[in-house]
Amino acid sequence: MLMDGNRTQDLRRMYTLFSRVNALESLRQALSSYIRKTGQGIVMDEEKDKDMVFSLLEFKVSLDKIWEDSFSKNDVFCNTIKEAFEHLINLRQNRPAELIAKFLDEKLRAGNKGTSEEELEGTLDKVLVLFRFIQGKDVFEAFYKKDLAKRLLLGKSASIDAEKSMISKLKTECGSQFTNKLEGMFKDIELSKEINESFKQSSQARTKLPSGIEMSVHVLTTGYWPTYPPMDVCLPHELNVYQDIFKEFYLSKYSGRRLMWQNSLGHCVLKAEFPKGKKELAVSLFQVGCVLCSCMVAILSMMFSSHSNHVNGQYVIQTVVLMLFNDAQKLSFQDIKDATSIEDKELRRTLQSLACGKIRVLQKIPKGREVDDNDSFMFNDGFTAPLYRIKVNAIQLKETVEENASTTERVFQDRQYQVDAAIVRIMKTRKVLSHTLLITELFQQLKFPIKPVDLKKRIESLIDREYLERDKSNPQIYNYLA
Amino acid sequence: MPRASKRKSDPVRSSEPAPKRATAKEVERIDNFFASYANTSIGMIDPEGVEKLCSDLRVEHTDVRILMLAWKMNAKKQGYFTQDEWRTGLKSLHADTLKKLKKELPELEKEVAKQNNFEDFYCYSFRYCLTEDKQKSLDIESVCMLLDLVLGRQFPLQVDSFVEYLKIQKEYKVINMDQWTNFFRFCQEIEFPDLQNYDACQAWPLILDNFVDWLREKLTAA
């Protein structure tokens, strides 16, 4: 009660009093249960997930202040606060880690007007304190990496300095194995700039590229970046030409690499001539495929991303859809689907972004929020907007529910592989080991939280696959099977 | 990654006085006996032949003694006996006619019941039911039937409970050899029905941990 009311004076008196009669221990215990109880309330309330990180930060700040003002910076009390925090933040598996990553993403993204560099640094440090308490750090890593990739590829970082500062903080916390990949991502972006420059100057670019189109490519090294699901799409002819010319150029400079174009992130600015005025539309590649008819769209600049070594290109999905309308007035959903080969859910999302949102480059017939099988689409002759350059690709930055679930899934799959690898590694070294000792070793080696039940499952799976066996004479013992 | 499977070597038979060598006459009679049930086109006794044999022996073909006979022959394929397998089994049973075989059945039961034979028989019976090539697990329904057949007399309470559990649980659709063998160990080592000495922190397969949890819940609910 005193804590809730932040009654530091009273607390200080209490502390002084208790220390005189050697009763600090009971005060400490009360503090511990208070923190755990309040913290549990913050962490477990699913409705308030959006505010969890913020609430936790505030809570920690207030605790620290009380520790300073009322508890004379008592060391034991400091540990109590830490232990209690560690306990409460891990009450809920995975979600706090994910939310912390998202919180950081918001802070590091452009558009945070009014936050000074100092303030940002301070916030990052405070968030890191929370992060230290999390037991399942790999969940955080997966989400942080994904969000960082999006920020870098879409050019959404508020400040590269802030990003790099965050990376060095994470290096201290997580070790360089994780941050090496992140640093690799930055290097790829830098390198891509250079590649684009030399591409522009190259003979291939100057002689063979169709005019009126500018292109920049992100070349991504597969190991560093998150894995993007391959997305099939039939590109308009111009884009295919681009692809081939760039590929020729790239492979002439870096032989022995594989270039794979992939279609997900990426954006494009289309110069569109509407009857009511010229506009520049910032769209995704998929959106490009859909637009236009009598008003030709000259593609001003397209961002492609490709991985090297397994080079992946990321096309702009909206572009593909928009460009279809170069040749047709009206297209049915099925027409668009056939022409672009874009996966069903993705196509519906793309058409929604072009025809059902605030910015309607296309008209949907019949009107409505959802894209149904029998809908058709037409170029929106009556399109107006106050600005010259308009963003139509709002959908991209928002994470889909499926993306979230699959990121978490991948982390769990990965954990399973790690457990299997650890078991085999331990058994290979020890050759013969008792069940209890194996479990103990595993808990020591594995860096993420796991239950003994799950360890048993993996052991049994390995027995089934004949990596180990139970000893015939002593069933508590496992033998390694070479 | 699947590893090359290690086939169990021939089971060790219990210590008995060294079997007398079968005389030529006996071998001939055994072969004739075989021929009277064999399917000549495949040179083996097939399921139809086995059924006929069972009815002649006045034994249900689902009777556990037929399984024991298969064990004695070390028969590889469920429902079939090859000539070699037949010879092996009947020679060691000293049964070269139908009448003698019928007489030997109670002896066979006693032999199987011996401690060091029974475990072998128990494992054999599971393997015997793996009819497909490379099959490693048996579906729940077959497992329930097999458990009842093989262990039902010796450990009726445990078998009944476990069968009940297997039918209602959803996590496992099949049972593998590891789980199968450990259930036998469970019956031998764990006090039933109080389960006092069961410790889930030990190397019991997870399915048994879950079984015990379920049993304990039932007990407290009762």
Side-chain angles (χ1 to χ4, degrees):
Chain A
M1 215 182 25
L2 288 177
M3 301 285 299
D4 278 335
N6 247 314
R7 309 245 291 268
T8 47
Q9 299 277 28
D10 294 331
L11 285 166
R12 188 166 347 129
R13 259 178 244 129
M14 200 169 170
Y15 179 79
T16 326
L17 220 70
F18 275 58
S19 64
R20 283 207 205 120
V21 297
N22 243 321
L24 277 182
E25 178 55 27
S26 50
L27 181 59
R28 191 192 69 77
Q29 280 179 13
L31 175 67
S32 180
S33 24
Y34 166 75
I35 298 176
R36 283 170 200 239
K37 206 160 142 263
T38 318
Q40 182 167 346
I42 301 176
V43 167
M44 301 301 278
D45 188 352
E46 284 184 31
E47 315 244 308
K48 301 229 182 83
D49 270 357
K50 269 195 303 133
D51 304 316
M52 194 203 288
V53 179
F54 186 71
S55 312
L56 284 176
L57 286 173
E58 287 211 321
F59 186 42
K60 185 76 175 40
V61 165
S62 71
L63 283 176
D64 288 339
K65 192 147 188 312
I66 293 180
W67 175 68
E68 218 182 288
D69 294 340
S70 315
F71 296 144
S72 309
K73 297 199 183 174
N74 181 314
D75 273 343
V76 181
F77 276 61
C78 181
N79 283 337
T80 304
I81 298 178
K82 284 201 185 126
E83 275 167 20
F85 235 87
E86 181 169 350
H87 166 88
L88 70 90
I89 211 171
N90 288 302
L91 279 175
R92 204 161 142 207
Q93 292 292 318
N94 313 320
R95 200 71 173 128
E98 186 191 323
L99 291 171
I100 292 180
K102 278 217 189 40
F103 183 83
L104 287 172
D105 179 54
E106 275 167 37
K107 292 286 172 230
L108 290 168
R109 237 196 273 156
N112 273 318
K113 307 260 164 67
T115 326
S116 73
E117 228 178 84
E118 257 174 45
E119 278 173 6
L120 184 55
E121 275 289 313
T123 311
L124 295 185
D125 283 330
K126 290 210 193 80
V127 174
L128 265 182
V129 170
L130 281 187
F131 174 70
R132 237 169 259 147
F133 294 126
I134 301 256
Q135 280 165 357
K137 293 190 166 54
D138 49 358
V139 176
F140 169 84
E141 286 169 11
F143 279 104
Y144 188 81
K145 189 164 154 180
K146 190 158 73 75
D147 292 335
L148 173 65
K150 269 200 182 146
R151 291 199 297 276
L152 290 177
L153 290 174
L154 296 177
K156 290 282 172 215
S157 297
S159 130
I160 293 292
D161 283 338
E163 297 275 5
K164 298 223 167 136
S165 158
M166 190 65 211
I167 304 244
S168 61
K169 291 187 214 279
L170 284 175
K171 195 173 192 160
T172 325
E173 297 297 332
C174 307
S176 52
Q177 215 187 12
F178 171 54
T179 48
N180 280 344
K181 301 207 183 105
L182 303 183
E183 284 167 355
M185 286 160 77
F186 280 96
K187 270 198 219 101
D188 278 348
I189 298 286
E190 291 299 315
L191 257 172
S192 296
K193 288 206 187 97
E194 290 173 21
I195 295 177
N196 278 316
E197 272 310 309
S198 44
F199 179 63
K200 275 206 194 100
Q201 310 295 331
S202 75
S203 56
Q204 290 104 319
R206 277 178 289 138
T207 54
K208 297 191 199 163
L209 285 183
S211 62
I213 302 180
E214 254 184 57
M215 181 172 88
S216 39
V217 179
H218 285 142
V219 180
L220 315 178
T221 312
T222 323
Y224 298 148
W225 296 77
T227 350
Y228 295 107
M231 258 190 239
D232 257 328
V233 72
C234 276
L235 298 172
H237 177 69
E238 294 92 328
L239 303 191
N240 276 322
V241 168
Y242 251 92
Q243 206 180 356
D244 293 335
I245 296 174
F246 180 80
K247 187 168 178 168
E248 195 192 310
F249 164 76
Y250 185 80
L251 292 176
S252 70
K253 282 198 117 196
Y254 302 96
S255 63
R257 292 198 182 169
R258 264 213 321 160
L259 219 89
M260 243 160 53
W261 300 98
Q262 207 187 49
N263 316 305
S264 345
L265 286 185
H267 51 279
C268 170
V269 177
L270 303 180
K271 194 173 180 186
E273 288 184 23
F274 293 94
K276 301 212 174 146
K278 294 192 196 158
K279 299 284 177 201
E280 278 185 13
L281 306 172
V283 294
S284 78
L285 188 60
F286 282 8
Q287 283 171 322
V288 166
C290 292
V291 158
L292 262 337
C293 43
S294 51
C295 320
M296 212 356 249
V297 172
I299 301 168
L300 273 192
S301 73
M302 294 202 292
M303 310 284 252
F304 295 78
S305 296
S306 63
H307 290 221
S308 61
N309 290 337
H310 265 246
V311 184
N312 285 338
Q314 295 177 311
Y315 276 104
V316 173
I317 302 177
Q318 287 166 322
T319 311
V320 171
V321 174
L322 285 177
M323 281 182 74
L324 281 184
F325 284 79
N326 279 349
D327 304 314
Q329 274 275 21
K330 179 174 176 181
L331 291 168
S332 72
F333 174 74
Q334 196 57 48
D335 290 336
I336 301 179
K337 190 166 182 183
D338 292 336
T340 62
S341 307
I342 295 174
E343 185 265 333
D344 189 273
K345 250 202 258 195
E346 192 62 49
L347 181 60
R348 279 179 215 263
R349 244 206 298 274
T350 303
L351 286 168
Q352 252 185 329
S353 70
L354 290 170
C356 308
K358 276 207 281 212
I359 312 284
R360 300 209 182 153
V361 179
L362 296 178
Q363 271 178 329
K364 187 170 88 76
I365 302 138
K367 294 206 166 108
R369 266 251 93 186
E370 297 300 319
V371 172
D372 297 316
D373 289 351
N374 295 322
D375 289 347
S376 11
F377 295 86
M378 248 171 60
F379 179 68
N380 186 359
D381 270 341
F383 180 72
T384 59
L387 299 172
Y388 178 63
R389 210 197 226 219
I390 307 155
K391 267 205 243 174
V392 198
N393 64 346
I395 300 235
Q396 267 175 350
L397 275 189
K398 248 203 306 198
E399 208 164 61
T400 62
V401 177
E402 295 108 351
E403 263 185 341
N404 239 12
S406 72
T407 304
T408 326
E409 246 324 291
R410 239 174 291 131
V411 175
F412 290 153
Q413 268 285 7
D414 205 59
R415 284 184 185 178
Q416 219 176 55
Y417 296 141
Q418 288 187 55
V419 174
D420 286 1
I423 297 175
V424 173
R425 195 174 48 234
I426 295 171
M427 289 308 299
K428 193 165 179 185
T429 322
R430 310 292 218 102
K431 303 282 186 246
V432 177
L433 195 60
S434 79
H435 175 82
T436 359
L437 285 180
L438 177 59
I439 299 287
T440 315
E441 279 260 4
L442 284 170
F443 274 122
Q444 280 175 2
Q445 285 198 23
L446 296 169
K447 300 268 178 279
F448 43 79
I450 191 155
K451 303 193 212 99
V453 168
D454 297 318
L455 291 179
K456 258 201 187 179
K457 276 201 190 131
R458 298 323 301 160
I459 293 175
E460 280 181 48
S461 162
L462 289 169
I463 292 178
D464 201 49
R465 289 180 278 159
E466 299 182 37
Y467 281 87
L468 356 149
E469 62 172 12
R470 296 187 203 269
D471 190 87
K472 306 269 189 294
S473 43
N474 181 347
Q476 293 308 315
I477 304 240
Y478 299 111
N479 296 325
Y480 179 68
L481 291 174
Chain B
M1 245 176 343
R3 315 275 233 122
S5 186
K6 289 197 168 160
R7 285 234 135 258
K8 275 212 165 148
S9 50
D10 273 333
V12 175
R13 305 293 176 193
S14 66
S15 47
E16 289 177 324
K20 303 193 304 260
R21 298 240 104 209
T23 64
K25 264 263 137 197
E26 279 171 331
V27 174
E28 204 191 317
R29 281 197 290 265
I30 286 176
D31 285 345
N32 288 340
F33 190 5
F34 178 78
S36 59
Y37 292 96
N39 178 334
T40 42
S41 56
I42 53 172
M44 292 198 283
I45 299 183
D46 65 6
E48 228 185 276
V50 173
E51 255 199 81
K52 188 153 167 284
L53 174 67
C54 291
S55 91
D56 290 346
L57 286 172
R58 308 256 198 277
V59 156
E60 289 289 330
H61 81 274
T62 49
D63 193 295
V64 69
R65 287 170 288 178
I66 297 302
L67 189 53
M68 290 178 179
L69 188 58
W71 170 77
K72 194 69 178 160
M73 295 186 210
N74 201 13
K76 290 280 180 292
K77 193 170 152 121
Q78 193 185 40
Y80 292 81
F81 297 138
T82 68
Q83 180 145 39
D84 275 339
E85 288 166 355
W86 181 264
R87 280 184 185 156
T88 310
L90 282 131
K91 270 193 219 165
S92 56
L93 282 172
H94 303 296
D96 50 13
T97 63
L98 183 68
K99 211 166 116 183
K100 282 196 203 155
L101 181 57
K102 193 154 188 309
K103 239 180 66 170
E104 285 302 313
L105 286 183
E107 283 305 309
L108 178 59
E109 279 185 86
K110 275 196 229 153
E111 186 190 344
V112 169
K114 289 201 186 128
Q115 183 62 18
N116 33 356
N117 280 340
F118 188 77
E119 192 163 342
D120 187 78
F121 169 69
Y122 177 77
C123 293
Y124 171 82
S125 57
F126 184 83
R127 279 199 310 276
Y128 189 63
C129 293
L130 300 175
T131 48
E132 303 303 312
D133 218 20
K134 298 205 173 108
Q135 185 183 349
K136 283 164 98 189
S137 310
L138 207 53
D139 63 279
I140 294 286
E141 213 183 302
S142 306
V143 168
C144 292
M145 288 196 289
L146 194 60
L147 273 176
D148 197 46
L149 190 66
V150 163
L151 277 188
R153 218 184 302 171
Q154 212 178 339
F155 300 106
L157 293 175
Q158 290 90 323
V159 168
D160 281 345
S161 283
F162 193 47
V163 161
E164 191 190 331
Y165 173 69
L166 283 178
K167 293 195 173 148
I168 61 171
Q169 60 83 37
K170 301 228 174 32
E171 186 156 359
Y172 295 92
K173 304 260 184 322
V174 292
I175 297 294
N176 63 24
M177 178 62 106
D178 184 52
Q179 291 160 320
W180 175 261
T181 40
N182 274 281
F183 179 67
F184 180 54
R185 187 164 71 90
F186 175 88
C187 292
Q188 291 177 301
E189 293 179 19
I190 300 298
E191 287 159 23
F192 205 86
D194 60 67
L195 309 166
Q196 288 280 24
N197 58 339
Y198 186 88
D199 180 5
C201 293
Q202 293 195 319
W204 293 104
L206 208 49
I207 195 174
L208 292 177
D209 290 346
N210 298 344
F211 171 52
V212 167
D213 281 342
W214 173 80
L215 275 173
R216 285 183 172 146
E217 261 180 52
K218 257 179 60 155
L219 277 178
T220 45

